[in-house]
Amino acid sequence: MTALAPALQAYFTDRLIGQRAASANTIGAYKVTFRLLLGFASQRSGKAPGALDIAELDAPLVAAFLDHLERDRGNSVVTRNNRLAAVHSLFGYLALQHPEHAATIQRVLAMRPKRAERNLVTYLTEPEVDALLAACDQSTWTGRRDHAMFALTIQTGLRISELTALTRADVTLTAGANVHTLGKGRKERRTPLVPSTTALLNAWLREHPGAPEDPLFPTTTGRHLSRDAVEHRLARHLVLVGARCPSIKAKHVTMHTLRHTSAMRLLIAGNDITVIALWLGHEQVATTNIYLHADMTHKQQAIDRTKPLAAKPGRYRPPDALLTFLESL
């Protein structure tokens, strides 16, 4: 057996799980990355994944793998960079365990992420929010569940991983109503609930009593909903929304769009960007600044506050012959 296989196993068990106590989402994302990388390297070299050595995962192969993700698998630049970050994490561990491969490892660690365009965030307007919630058929059990689930997400801005992990015990509906979550980096936070959301969740919990550790939004078999299941439910309702609210057809709406909607609601209501960062569980305020660029209301207010300059209108005329020549070029 080569050095790569036991080193990769130790990286997951010792580094990620034992030392860093990485979340299940992180472990899952890294697992997919290395499964794809080893499959790609195996196909190029003709060797089984378990027979590959560290030296064979050199910088040219990693670069070809990243290009393969974009060109053949249709991954975005962001996904490509996330895969590279996982590779960097592994090779940082290998640098300590296998110094004999230092040259190969350093060349991989020197690879930089690809620059990506930062598009404006997509969010729902108030009429679109109303249309989405109205599309949930509240005469059915699943419709009432979806209505409560979407309303909670839009009000609190929870990540989909946080939403699907919620239990009944995570919701406090008495004085100081809030929802408790464990977000990225195992950071705990409590997000306040407005009266309308509190009433909605009260009705939902009364309809379906259960133990504190039971899922807040269960499947028909009583288990936690998966991420894919929640996105599938949203997509089903969006088909109905398109007929009632045509403007939503032009938007690519996911559960993360509902999180963006929560942030934009707070921003438009006049809340400071640092408050929104705390609300969303962002570690850095710079992450929250994307919402400033998406809000045309703030930009229009800036224009309205701008006074015109007192300069006389007219075309600039250079006072010197040489400047006149340069101006004419």
Side-chain angles (χ1 to χ4, degrees), residues 91-235:
F91 274 69
Y93 175 77
L94 295 178
L96 300 174
Q97 305 299 321
H98 294 279
E100 68 274 16
H101 293 286
T104 298
I105 292 171
Q106 288 304 316
R107 282 192 286 270
V108 172
L109 290 176
M111 298 177 68
R112 301 268 61 87
K114 188 174 183 179
R115 296 187 65 177
E117 294 182 1
R118 301 197 65 176
N119 298 323
L120 294 177
V121 296
T122 301
Y123 64 97
L124 302 183
T125 62
E126 291 302 319
E128 291 167 347
V129 167
D130 294 338
L132 172 61
L133 296 179
C136 300
D137 183 5
Q138 297 195 55
S139 65
T140 65
W141 178 85
T142 54
R144 291 191 294 274
R145 178 200 61 193
D146 294 348
H147 181 268
M149 183 169 60
F150 297 153
L152 177 65
T153 306
I154 291 168
Q155 194 252 288
T156 59
L158 298 184
R159 299 179 179 92
I160 188 172
S161 58
E162 297 167 345
L163 182 71
T164 55
L166 287 177
T167 64
R168 297 170 65 93
D170 289 323
V171 179
T172 301
L173 301 178
T174 53
N178 66 84
V179 59
H180 168 265
T181 52
L182 185 66
K184 278 188 177 180
R186 299 187 180 275
K187 296 190 294 291
E188 288 186 271
R189 75 180 190 278
R190 290 188 179 272
T191 307
L193 298 176
V194 299
S196 59
T197 306
T198 303
L200 194 61
L201 292 177
N202 257 320
W204 169 249
L205 292 177
R206 283 196 304 269
E207 179 182 354
H208 297 281
E213 65 273 12
D214 288 345
L216 179 62
F217 301 115
T219 63
T220 54
T221 58
R223 299 178 181 177
H224 284 277
L225 284 165
S226 68
R227 299 166 62 107
D228 289 342
V230 174
E231 292 286 8
H232 176 69
R233 295 299 301 177
L234 176 62

Side-chain angles (χ1 to χ4, degrees), residues 1-298:
M1 181 181 290
T2 64
L4 177 62
L8 184 59
Q9 293 173 2
Y11 167 73
F12 274 94
T13 57
D14 297 342
R15 171 59 67 86
L16 290 184
I17 299 175
Q19 298 175 12
R20 295 181 55 188
S23 68
N25 289 332
T26 299
I27 293 173
Y30 281 25
K31 178 179 67 176
V32 171
T33 296
F34 297 121
R35 191 168 60 202
L36 292 172
L37 175 61
L38 292 176
F40 178 79
S42 174
Q43 187 175 16
R44 284 176 65 105
S45 65
K47 294 183 179 180
L52 294 169
D53 201 1
I54 296 174
E56 294 176 272
L57 300 184
D58 54 10
L61 183 134
V62 173
F65 167 67
L66 297 175
D67 289 340
H68 159 72
L69 293 179
E70 278 193 278
R71 182 182 61 253
D72 302 326
R73 293 182 60 86
N75 291 159
S76 66
V77 175
V78 173
T79 300
R80 169 194 169 114
N81 290 341
N82 288 339
R83 302 297 185 210
L84 178 58
V87 172
H88 279 171
S89 178
L90 170 64
F91 274 69
Y93 175 77
L94 295 178
L96 300 174
Q97 305 299 321
H98 294 279
E100 68 274 16
H101 293 286
T104 298
I105 292 171
Q106 288 304 316
R107 282 192 286 270
V108 172
L109 290 176
M111 298 177 68
R112 301 268 61 87
K114 188 174 183 179
R115 296 187 65 177
E117 294 182 1
R118 301 197 65 176
N119 298 323
L120 294 177
V121 296
T122 301
Y123 64 97
L124 302 183
T125 62
E126 291 302 319
E128 291 167 347
V129 167
D130 294 338
L132 172 61
L133 296 179
C136 300
D137 183 5
Q138 297 195 55
S139 65
T140 65
W141 178 85
T142 54
R144 291 191 294 274
R145 178 200 61 193
D146 294 348
H147 181 268
M149 183 169 60
F150 297 153
L152 177 65
T153 306
I154 291 168
Q155 194 252 288
T156 59
L158 298 184
R159 299 179 179 92
I160 188 172
S161 58
E162 297 167 345
L163 182 71
T164 55
L166 287 177
T167 64
R168 297 170 65 93
D170 289 323
V171 179
T172 301
L173 301 178
T174 53
N178 66 84
V179 59
H180 168 265
T181 52
L182 185 66
K184 278 188 177 180
R186 299 187 180 275
K187 296 190 294 291
E188 288 186 271
R189 75 180 190 278
R190 290 188 179 272
T191 307
L193 298 176
V194 299
S196 59
T197 306
T198 303
L200 194 61
L201 292 177
N202 257 320
W204 169 249
L205 292 177
R206 283 196 304 269
E207 179 182 354
H208 297 281
E213 65 273 12
D214 288 345
L216 179 62
F217 301 115
T219 63
T220 54
T221 58
R223 299 178 181 177
H224 284 277
L225 284 165
S226 68
R227 299 166 62 107
D228 289 342
V230 174
E231 292 286 8
H232 176 69
R233 295 299 301 177
L234 176 62
R236 285 190 60 179
H237 293 300
L238 287 171
V239 173
L240 301 175
V241 174
R244 305 178 186 179
C245 186
S247 64
I248 209 168
K249 292 182 179 179
K251 298 180 178 180
H252 177 61
V253 180
T254 65
M255 288 300 294
H256 210 70
T257 307
L258 305 189
R259 176 171 163 85
H260 291 326
T261 302
S262 175
M264 293 303 298
R265 279 177 146 192
L266 292 169
L267 183 64
I268 294 171
N271 291 282
D272 187 81
I273 199 70
T274 55
V275 174
I276 300 175
L278 289 171
W279 187 281
L280 297 178
H282 286 165
E283 188 170 351
Q284 298 179 347
V285 177
T287 307
T288 320
N289 285 337
I290 58 172
Y291 300 110
L292 291 174
H293 299 287
D295 182 24
M296 289 301 297
T297 305
H298 278 62

